[in-house]
Amino acid sequence: MSYAFQPNPPIPAHEVLIFLLQIATLLLVAVVLGRVAERFKMPAIVGELFTGVLLGPSLLGAVAPAFSEWLLPHKAIQSNMLDAVGLLGILLLVGITGAHLDLGLIRRRGITAVRISLCGLLLPLGAGIALAYALPAAFLPDGVERTVFALFLGVAMCVSAIPVIAKTLVDMRLLHRDVGQLTIAAGTVDDAVGWLLLSIVSAMATVGLSTMKVSLSVLYLLGFILFAVLVGRPLVNAVMRLANRSENRGTTVAVVAGLMILGGSLTHALGMEPVFGAFAVGILIGRPGVVDPERLAPLRTVVLSVLAPIFLATAGLRIDLTVLGDPTVLGIALAVLAVAIAGKFVGAYLGAWMSGLNKWEGLALGAGLNARGVVEVVVAMVGLRVGVLDTKSYTIIVLVAVVTSLMAPPILRYAMTRVNQNAEEQARRLAHEAWSTPVYSAAEKESASVH
């Protein structure tokens, strides 16, 4: 018996038109608002995140609902196409961030990074659990046990957002600083533990807590790390040697992007977040001697200038601030927000103090790790899907994501102007510049050398 090939039907013309208009609108508005943010001495990420709030249900949906429904219809096919573009952006952004990670610094100050991470993880986790037990029973979704809700809120309080932190540090020319490197390293540990805890709490909410499920999650995580070191490193070295032989730098760009996406697909297949796979591949690619950074300048430009703004704007589209009109919801939202901010700040500052860092470095680390961004949105969406959250609690957690991401840049700027730059940071900055010449203008180079 033979089967004739039956191609899938193409995406309807109208859906394609709307998708193209969505991408164009999100990108152009994000670029404009990003430049406006920079005029006010804030990184472009502030304006890019606000793009989604402006075009989403919070503003455009409330002022012009008919036009909002036409441009951003509540259809699965439209959301899926946007999400696919956003996923590509986040994987490459995190991969590039991993390539900028200074492994030498992490090896020398690994204990410092772990100490900061654990303090910045455990304190907000405990504070979130305690707050959940203090909330009125009427606030809990129907049929959800308070213990499950408390654990979930604790997890939501303890995560950070590596993509948003990375974009903030890049926008502010701080990724080369020791504090920036420690922030990325500590945030990576926070997110790894956070996703593991999220999988446990989600299991408790659906099929109950299983020792086998927890054991498999830990085994997969450790197995992937071992695979990356023993197999991934020599494999990446061999592939990049072949790619570097080409005189066309586009070959190197394509191979690096493909490897980062492949790494994301591997961790996704293991039940973990794809960003961890992309981040791990980025670290392997960024090791000295693997690839000439100048050959990857086009990739960095496209990711930071096109894909990252679309990703951040798409994340903002899921925010609906109109539900905060209820005074009770607003009061609880402010309490959750205060606990989230204080828990992360105090935890990170405590870890920095225990590691012998000064108060300004502790303040900068607290600000950076406070940025929860789209990771918090994803956590909230998981909670909504498994029934741990309802509309009110979902909106509150998303509000935490937005506020903490927007407050991080000004605090970082204030603190880092009081931290002197050392010779190693200066050398690292010059190495980072090679990724996208000219990244810094003459004025920016002078400012970076001062700070």
Side-chain angles (χ1 to χ4, degrees):
M1 181 182 295
S2 61
Y3 295 92
F5 174 71
Q6 296 292 334
N8 292 324
I11 301 174
H14 178 72
E15 278 70 15
V16 172
L17 172 63
I18 295 299
F19 169 69
L20 296 177
L21 291 175
Q22 288 174 339
I23 292 294
T25 302
L26 290 172
L27 178 58
L28 294 177
V29 174
V31 169
V32 171
L33 294 184
R35 302 296 80 76
V36 171
E38 291 179 334
R39 292 291 297 271
F40 286 94
K41 306 299 182 182
M42 301 187 76
I45 186 177
V46 174
E48 292 163 356
L49 273 174
F50 189 72
T51 298
V53 178
L54 176 66
L55 298 177
S58 299
L59 290 177
L60 182 62
V63 175
F67 177 72
S68 177
E69 178 61 27
W70 179 82
L71 180 63
L72 299 164
H74 294 86
K75 293 182 179 180
I77 185 174
Q78 301 288 175
S79 299
N80 291 341
M81 287 191 289
L82 271 182
D83 288 344
V85 176
L87 178 60
L88 179 62
I90 189 175
L91 289 179
L92 295 179
L93 174 61
V94 173
I96 288 176
T97 304
H100 281 86
L101 196 63
D102 188 339
L103 295 180
L105 174 72
I106 302 303
R107 280 193 293 267
R108 292 193 306 273
R109 306 183 68 176
I111 295 178
T112 298
V114 172
R115 188 182 292 122
I116 293 170
S117 174
L118 290 179
C119 290
L121 178 81
L122 297 178
L123 193 60
L125 174 65
I129 293 174
L131 175 63
Y133 277 104
L135 293 177
F139 185 75
L140 272 66
D142 295 337
V144 176
E145 296 182 6
R146 185 178 289 271
T147 299
V148 175
F149 178 79
L151 289 173
F152 189 89
L153 186 60
V155 171
M157 297 297 98
C158 75
V159 297
S160 297
I162 287 297
V164 174
I165 293 172
K167 187 63 163 57
T168 300
L169 292 173
V170 169
D171 285 346
M172 299 184 69
R173 319 290 192 247
L174 293 176
L175 188 57
H176 69 284
R177 302 297 299 271
D178 287 353
V179 168
Q181 296 285 304
L182 286 173
T183 301
I184 291 295
T188 301
V189 177
D190 279 0
D191 279 359
V193 177
W195 288 118
L196 178 61
L197 293 176
L198 179 63
S199 65
I200 295 173
V201 176
S202 300
M204 292 176 64
T206 53
V207 298
L209 184 59
S210 168
T211 304
M212 177 62 70
K213 183 176 180 63
V214 176
S215 300
L216 282 177
S217 298
V218 175
L219 184 63
Y220 286 154
L221 179 61
L222 296 177
F224 174 75
I225 295 174
L226 190 63
F227 176 82
V229 173
L230 299 180
V231 180
R233 182 166 54 181
L235 182 61
V236 167
N237 290 346
V239 172
M240 292 312 305
R241 277 197 300 269
L242 292 175
N244 291 334
R245 292 177 183 174
S246 173
E247 296 181 359
N248 183 358
R249 69 171 60 186
T251 301
T252 304
V253 169
V255 171
V256 167
L259 289 175
M260 290 176 178
I261 297 171
L262 185 62
S265 66
L266 178 58
T267 51
H268 181 69
L270 294 174
M272 296 180 288
E273 281 300 303
V275 292
F276 293 125
F279 186 77
V281 171
I283 292 175
L284 296 178
I285 291 173
R287 288 175 301 115
V290 175
V291 63
D292 181 359
E294 291 186 4
R295 295 177 69 91
L296 297 182
L299 176 64
R300 187 181 188 276
T301 299
V302 171
V303 172
L304 295 181
S305 301
V306 180
L307 294 177
I310 292 175
F311 153 68
L312 291 165
T314 303
L317 290 175
R318 303 184 186 279
I319 301 165
D320 184 3
L321 302 179
T322 59
V323 299
L324 298 178
D326 185 335
T328 301
V329 176
L330 179 60
I332 294 176
L334 293 176
V336 172
L337 183 61
V339 169
I341 293 173
K344 209 62 161 171
F345 258 118
V346 174
Y349 190 93
L350 179 61
W353 174 76
M354 293 170 61
S355 302
L357 303 181
N358 64 45
K359 63 180 181 180
W360 299 117
E361 291 172 315
L363 181 63
L365 284 164
L369 292 175
N370 237 310
R372 291 167 171 89
V374 74
V375 172
E376 188 89 319
V377 176
V378 173
V379 171
M381 292 173 61
V382 171
L384 194 64
R385 177 175 56 83
V386 300
V388 179
L389 302 179
D390 57 14
T391 304
K392 299 188 296 294
S393 51
Y394 170 83
T395 301
I396 289 173
I397 292 182
V398 173
L399 178 66
V400 171
V402 175
V403 174
T404 54
S405 297
L406 296 183
M407 66 178 282
I411 299 176
L412 268 171
R413 188 183 303 278
Y414 176 79
M416 290 306 295
T417 55
R418 289 155 176 80
V419 179
N420 294 326
Q421 183 171 238
N422 57 45
E424 184 179 1
E425 291 175 327
Q426 178 72 6
R428 195 182 299 128
R429 179 180 69 85
L430 295 175
H432 286 189
E433 281 186 37
W435 280 72
S436 57
T437 304
V439 177
Y440 300 151
S441 65
E444 290 170 333
K445 290 182 179 180
E446 181 180 353
S447 174
S449 65
V450 172
H451 301 313

